[in-house]
C-alpha cells in the first residue's frame, strides 16, 4: 500500500471519487423518488479532499448563516464521521419540496427531524456503502443526528469529534425535487490511513 | 464470546429494552422473532410466547402489503441501517389508537439496524417509537397557525382600509381648505390656510405610505420625503433648477409613532426653506441626511440660504407655529435632542432613539 502524506488535488482521484459518489447518490435518489412520489435527481458536480486544518476556511466560504446538519458516525474497516449539511435556504427548500412545509428551520418539529434523519441516512449510507463495496469491506453505521445551528458554531463543536481524522472528502451535491434546486454538502471525515486505503483501492480497481 | 459474557449481554439487553418506552423487536436471519419486548406486547396484543419464533412478515402481513418488507431485506442483506419517518410511512406495524378521536392508528418512528449480537442467528433489531402525540400536537399547531395567519391577514386588510379611508378623508379636508383659501379675502388668512393645507397633506401622504407599506407598522420614509418635497416645490412654484433637494443616507424604515412626527417636522423645515431661504429666484440647495448609529438616528436638515434670523429663532418670543411645532414634535414625541444653527444657512439637527417597529 502506498502511504501518502497528503491526498488532495489529484484530478484523477477526484474524478473516480465523483463517479463513486454519483453511483451511491443515484441509488439514494431512486429511493427518495419512491418516497416523495416524484422524480428526484441528485448529482455530485464537485468533489475534493481537504485537510481538516483547512476546513474552517472552506466552511466560511461555502456555508454561512444557520443550517441543518445531519451527522452519522460509521465504523468497520474504515472509521469516521459523515455529515450532510444544508444552508438555511436549501433546508427550507428541501422541507418545502419533500414535506410541503414552508417554515424557518430554527423550529423543526419531531416529524420534520425524523424525515430529515431518513433522508440523511439514505444519502450518507448510499454513498458510503458504494465506497464500502469498492474497498470490498462493509461499513457499519450509527444513528444519524439532526441539528440546526449556525455553521461556524456547528463546525467548532464538531472539531472535537473529528480530531482523530486528518482529512475530509467533501462532495457538493445538487438535488432536484419538484422543480426545486437544493444544494447540499456531504463531508466524510477520515484518517490519513483510511483515506489512503480508499485511494489505493480505487487505484487498484481502475488498474492505475 | 464465551457463554457467561453472552448471557450477561443478553440479560442486559432485556433489562434495558423492557424499561424502554419503545417497541423492541429482534429478528434472526430468517426474519423470525427472537425478542419481543413488553411495550410491543402491550400495544399489539400479541404476547411474547406467541410471537417468539414466528416470522414477523407472517404475523403482520400488512408490512408486505404496504411495500415495507424490502426495508427489512435491505438491512439484512446490505448491512445498513434504515430509518422510517412517520411522514413517509406512518407506521411499520399497525397499532390501533385507543383515542380514535385523534388518529385511527399510532404514528411510528422506526429504526432498523443490522446486528451481530450474542447469537449468530440474530440479524435485525427494530425500534418503534410512538410519536402520535407529537403529530397530533403539530397538526393542531398547524391548524391554529393557519387560523391565526388568516385572522392577522384579515386585520391587516382592515387596517390598510382604515389608513386608506383616513387618507381619503384628509384629502377631503384639503379640498375644503382649498375652497376656503379661494374664498378668503385676506392674504394673512390665505397664508395660514396654505400652511394648514400642507400640514394636512403631509399627514395624508404618511397614511398613503402606510397603506402601501408591507408591514403597516413602519413606513418607507424616503418615499414619503420624495412625495412631500415634490408637492411643496410644486405648490410654491419653485423649479428644481432653482433649488436642488438632496436626500442622503440610508433611510431606515420608521415605526409609525416616529414616522408621523418626523414627517411633520420635515414638512415644516422644507416649507420654511422653500418660502424664505431662496427669495427672488435665488439658487440654492436643501439637504436632508439620515444616519443610523446603533440604536439612535441622526437627522440633519440643512439649507444654504441666509439662515433664519436670530430673533425668530428665539422661541420664547417667536410666534411662528412652524418652529414651535418642530420643537414640540422633536422633544415631546421623539424625545430627541435637537437644535438649530444658522452660521451658514439654516441647519437643524436632532438625535433620537430608533423605535423598533412591530412586525
Amino acid at each position: 500500500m502506498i502511504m501518502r502524506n497528503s491526498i488532495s488535488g489529484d484530478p484523477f482521484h477526484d474524478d473516480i471519487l465523483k463517479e463513486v459518489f454519483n453511483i451511491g447518490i443515484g441509488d439514494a435518489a431512486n429511493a427518495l423518488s419512491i418516497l416523495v412520489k416524484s422524480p428526484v435527481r441528485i448529482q455530485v458536480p464537485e468533489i475534493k479532499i481537504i485537510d481538516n486544518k483547512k476546513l474552517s476556511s472552506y466552511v466560511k466560504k461555502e456555508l454561512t448563516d444557520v443550517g441543518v446538519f445531519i451527522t452519522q458516525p460509521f465504523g468497520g474497516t474504515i472509521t469516521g464521521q459523515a455529515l450532510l449539511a444544508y444552508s438555511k435556504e436549501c433546508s427550507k427548500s428541501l422541507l418545502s419540496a419533500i414535506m410541503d412545509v414552508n417554515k424557518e428551520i430554527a423550529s423543526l418539529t419531531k416529524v420534520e427531524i425524523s424525515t430529515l434523519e431518513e433522508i440523511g441516512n439514505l444519502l450518507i449510507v448510499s454513498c458510503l456503502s458504494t465506497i464500502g463495496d469498492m474497498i470490498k469491506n462493509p461499513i457499519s453505521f450509527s444513528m444519524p443526528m439532526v441539528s440546526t445551528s449556525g455553521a461556524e458554531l456547528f463546525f467548532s463543536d464538531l472539531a472535537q469529534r473529528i480530531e482523530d481524522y486528518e482529512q475530509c472528502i467533501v462532495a457538493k451535491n445538487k438535488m432536484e425535487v419538484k422543480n426545486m434546486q437544493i444544494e447540499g454538502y456531504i463531508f466524510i471525515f477520515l484518517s490519513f490511513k483510511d483515506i489512503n486505503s480508499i485511494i489505493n483501492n480505487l487505484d487498484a480497481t481502475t488498474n492505475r | 464470546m464465551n457463554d457467561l459474557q453472552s448471557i450477561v449481554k443478553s440479560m442486559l439487553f432485556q433489562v434495558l429494552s423492557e424499561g424502554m418506552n419503545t417497541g423492541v423487536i429482534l429478528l434472526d436471519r430468517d426474519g423470525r422473532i427472537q425478542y419481543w419486548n413488553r411495550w410491543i406486547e402491550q400495544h399489539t396484543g400479541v404476547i411474547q410466547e406467541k410471537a417468539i419464533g414466528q416470522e414477523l412478515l407472517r404475523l403482520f402481513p400488512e408490512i408486505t402489503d404496504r411495500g415495507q418488507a424490502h426495508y427489512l431485506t435491505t438491512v439484512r442483506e446490505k448491512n445498513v441501517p434504515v430509518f422510517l419517518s412517520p411522514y413517509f410511512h406512518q407506521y411499520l406495524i399497525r397499532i390501533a389508537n385507543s383515542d380514535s378521536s385523534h388518529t385511527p392508528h399510532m404514528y411510528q418512528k422506526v429504526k432498523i439496524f443490522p446486528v451481530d449480537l450474542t447469537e449468530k442467528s440474530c440479524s435485525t433489531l427494530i425500534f418503534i417509537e410512538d410519536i402520535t402525540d407529537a403529530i397530533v400536537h403539530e397538526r393542531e399547531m398547524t391548524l391554529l397557525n393557519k387560523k391565526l395567519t388568516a385572522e392577522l391577514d384579515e386585520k391587516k386588510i382592515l387596517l390598510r382600509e382604515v389608513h386608506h379611508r383616513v387618507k381619503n378623508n384628509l384629502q377631503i379636508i384639503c379640498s375644503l381648505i382649498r375652497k376656503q383659501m379661494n374664498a378668503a379675502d385676506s392674504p394673512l388668512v390665505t397664508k395660514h390656510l396654505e400652511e394648514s393645507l400642507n400640514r394636512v397633506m403631509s399627514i395624508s401622504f404618511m397614511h398613503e405610505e402606510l397603506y402601501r407599506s408591507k408591514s403597516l407598522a413602519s413606513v418607507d420614509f424616503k418615499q414619503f420625503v420624495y412625495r412631500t418635497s415634490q408637492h411643496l416645490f410644486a405648490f410654491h412654484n419653485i423649479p428644481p433648477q432653482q433649488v436642488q433637494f438632496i436626500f442622503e443616507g440610508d433611510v431606515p424604515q420608521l415605526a409609525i409613532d416616529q414616522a408621523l412626527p418626523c414627517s411633520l417636522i420635515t414638512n415644516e423645515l422644507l416649507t420654511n426653506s422653500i418660502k424664505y431661504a431662496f427669495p427672488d429666484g435665488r439658487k440654492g440647495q436643501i439637504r436632508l441626511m439620515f444616519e443610523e448609529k446603533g440604536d439612535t438616528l441622526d437627522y440633519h436638515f440643512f439649507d444654504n440660504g441666509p439662515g433664519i434670523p436670530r430673533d425668530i429663532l428665539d422661541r420664547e418670543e417667536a410666534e411662528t407655529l412652524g418652529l414651535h411645532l418642530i420643537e414640540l414634535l422633536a422633544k415631546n414625541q421623539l424625545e430627541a435632542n435637537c437644535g438649530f444653527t444658522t452660521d451658514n444657512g439654516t441647519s437643524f439637527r436632532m438625535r433620537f432613539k430608533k423605535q423598533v417597529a412591530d412586525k
Side-chain angles (χ1 to χ4, degrees):
Chain A
M1 182 192 271
I2 304 164
M3 276 301 281
R4 303 164 176 89
N5 291 325
S6 170
I7 305 150
S8 55
D10 184 335
F12 179 76
H13 289 143
D14 288 355
D15 282 350
I16 297 286
L17 275 173
K18 204 190 288 181
E19 192 60 36
V20 170
F21 270 80
N22 272 318
I23 294 167
I25 226 154
D27 293 343
N30 290 339
L32 205 53
S33 298
I34 296 165
L35 288 180
V36 298
K37 296 179 181 74
S38 175
V40 175
R41 269 184 287 275
I42 317 176
Q43 279 195 322
V44 177
E46 194 184 311
I47 202 153
K48 53 173 73 179
I49 299 169
I50 54 174
D51 285 335
N52 283 349
K53 283 175 194 162
K54 292 175 185 167
L55 187 67
S56 70
S57 61
Y58 179 82
V59 170
K60 266 183 198 161
K61 201 178 79 183
E62 296 285 328
L63 280 159
T64 51
D65 208 345
V66 181
V68 165
F69 304 97
I70 306 162
T71 46
Q72 193 164 13
F74 58 89
T77 320
I78 57 167
T79 307
Q81 276 268 359
L83 161 70
L84 185 59
Y86 291 103
S87 68
K88 184 181 176 180
E89 281 313 306
C90 286
S91 315
K92 279 172 81 173
S93 304
L94 183 68
L95 284 172
S96 167
I98 305 275
M99 299 181 75
D100 201 21
V101 289
N102 198 354
K103 60 179 295 187
E104 293 302 320
I105 55 157
S107 57
L108 289 178
T109 64
K110 257 189 164 180
V111 182
E112 286 154 8
I113 288 173
S114 69
T115 308
L116 287 171
E117 273 175 353
E118 184 167 354
I119 295 167
N121 182 64
L122 256 177
L123 291 172
I124 291 171
V125 166
S126 294
C127 291
L128 277 165
S129 292
T130 319
I131 292 177
D133 290 347
M134 205 135 227
I135 59 174
K136 295 179 184 66
N137 275 304
I139 296 169
S140 58
F141 299 88
S142 299
M143 284 195 284
M145 216 177 76
V146 174
S147 57
T148 57
S149 152
E152 213 174 325
L153 182 69
F154 174 83
F155 278 93
S156 104
D157 287 346
L158 183 76
Q160 290 173 343
R161 282 183 279 155
I162 57 165
E163 59 188 8
D164 291 340
Y165 314 117
E166 294 90 0
Q167 292 209 306
C168 169
I169 302 172
V170 190
K172 236 184 198 180
N173 60 84
K174 285 184 176 171
M175 190 192 292
E176 195 187 320
V177 194
K178 295 178 186 168
N179 295 323
M180 280 198 200
Q181 304 283 339
I182 302 144
E183 195 172 77
Y185 297 81
I186 297 175
F187 294 84
I188 296 170
F189 301 100
L190 292 157
S191 64
F192 267 137
K193 187 175 145 285
D194 285 344
I195 214 155
N196 259 303
S197 153
I198 293 173
I199 296 294
N200 284 329
N201 272 290
L202 291 178
D203 282 346
T205 312
T206 52
N207 297 319
R208 198 185 187 202
Chain B
M1 189 178 287
N2 63 39
D3 286 349
L4 185 64
Q5 279 179 317
S6 164
I7 292 163
V8 169
K9 208 164 179 179
S10 170
M11 281 172 68
L12 190 65
F13 174 73
Q14 284 193 24
V15 168
L16 288 173
S17 59
E18 287 307 331
M20 285 166 87
N21 194 19
T22 301
V24 182
I25 306 166
L26 190 61
L27 305 178
D28 66 13
R29 288 191 197 284
D30 301 321
R32 289 180 194 281
I33 298 163
Q34 295 296 304
Y35 182 71
W36 188 255
N37 81 336
R38 195 167 296 143
W39 185 95
I40 197 92
E41 184 179 89
Q42 284 167 353
H43 285 84
T44 57
V46 179
I47 58 166
Q48 223 175 37
E49 289 75 17
K50 195 188 164 194
I52 304 289
Q54 281 218 53
E55 276 183 50
L56 180 73
L57 298 181
R58 276 180 186 257
L59 195 58
F60 297 99
E62 203 187 348
I63 297 175
T64 311
D65 297 344
R66 295 177 71 232
Q68 290 178 328
H70 73 94
Y71 292 119
L72 297 171
T73 318
T74 303
V75 173
R76 203 165 48 231
E77 289 178 358
K78 294 191 176 171
N79 203 37
V80 293
V82 165
F83 294 81
L84 307 180
S85 70
Y87 179 76
F88 292 129
H89 312 275
Q90 298 186 2
Y91 55 85
L92 179 70
I93 294 175
R94 188 184 172 90
I95 295 173
N97 212 336
S98 50
D99 183 2
S100 57
S101 61
H102 283 151
T103 55
H105 54 79
M106 178 195 286
Y107 281 91
Q108 298 163 359
K109 182 174 167 181
V110 181
K111 296 175 180 177
I112 312 172
F113 288 96
V115 284
D116 184 16
L117 283 178
T118 53
E119 295 176 41
K120 284 177 187 169
S121 59
C122 297
S123 76
T124 310
L125 187 57
I126 305 169
F127 291 97
I128 299 174
E129 191 187 338
D130 176 8
I131 63 162
T132 312
D133 285 348
I135 289 201
V136 170
H137 178 70
E138 278 171 28
R139 280 184 184 169
E140 284 171 357
M141 292 304 287
T142 307
L143 283 175
L144 186 66
N145 204 17
K146 273 185 185 165
K147 195 179 157 204
L148 288 173
T149 308
E151 283 178 6
L152 189 64
D153 285 347
E154 194 185 346
K155 286 203 167 72
K156 275 185 183 173
I157 291 167
L158 288 174
L159 194 54
R160 205 155 263 151
E161 184 57 30
V162 168
H163 283 303
H164 197 181
R165 286 187 187 190
V166 169
K167 176 230 149 196
N168 286 348
N169 290 342
L170 289 172
Q171 296 287 349
I172 292 169
I173 294 170
C174 287
S175 300
L176 292 173
I177 295 173
R178 274 198 198 94
K179 278 195 180 298
Q180 284 183 311
M181 276 166 59
N182 290 339
D185 48 8
S186 150
L188 187 64
V189 171
T190 308
K191 179 179 165 274
H192 287 314
L193 284 172
E194 262 179 29
E195 285 170 357
S196 294
L197 172 73
N198 287 329
R199 282 173 191 137
V200 178
M201 282 291 274
S202 168
I203 300 170
S204 156
F205 288 151
M206 187 49 66
H207 282 279
E208 194 172 348
E209 284 309 316
L210 267 168
Y211 81 73
R212 283 182 176 161
S213 148
K214 273 184 189 171
S215 79
L216 286 168
S218 64
V219 282
D220 180 354
F221 200 69
K222 194 169 195 168
Q223 192 58 28
F224 161 80
V225 173
Y226 176 73
R227 288 283 311 275
T228 305
S229 61
Q230 273 206 328
H231 163 73
L232 289 175
F233 274 79
F235 187 86
H236 293 284
N237 285 321
I238 304 288
Q241 301 90 326
Q242 187 198 333
V243 180
Q244 196 186 8
F245 178 60
I246 299 167
F247 193 8
E248 289 176 315
D250 290 330
V251 187
Q253 285 283 117
L254 282 181
I256 179 67
D257 287 350
Q258 294 191 320
L260 264 169
C262 263
S263 69
L264 285 168
I265 289 169
T266 307
N267 180 67
E268 293 307 323
L269 289 165
L270 265 172
T271 306
N272 192 64
S273 295
I274 288 169
K275 278 171 80 174
Y276 305 114
F278 311 103
D280 309 321
R282 219 190 98 177
K283 286 192 174 185
Q285 204 178 64
I286 300 171
R287 279 176 186 268
L288 176 58
M289 284 169 276
F290 261 102
E291 199 180 348
E292 207 168 349
K293 286 178 180 167
D295 60 349
T296 60
L297 276 176
D298 279 355
Y299 174 105
H300 185 199
F301 183 94
F302 165 80
D303 75 47
N304 63 352
I308 303 172
R310 287 293 337 162
D311 59 325
I312 293 177
L313 270 181
D314 185 354
R315 290 171 200 147
E316 290 296 320
E317 294 171 20
E319 289 177 359
T320 50
L321 178 60
L323 294 177
H324 270 303
L325 262 178
I326 292 169
E327 191 180 20
L328 279 171
L329 292 165
K331 288 187 173 165
N332 294 354
Q333 295 210 24
L334 294 171
E335 294 175 352
N337 291 320
C338 63
F340 278 97
T341 51
T342 53
D343 302 340
N344 288 306
T346 299
S347 164
F348 174 78
R349 284 178 189 271
M350 64 174 174
R351 174 176 284 181
F352 57 96
K353 202 170 175 185
K354 193 188 167 196
Q355 211 178 73
V356 179
D358 295 331
K359 297 240 166 132

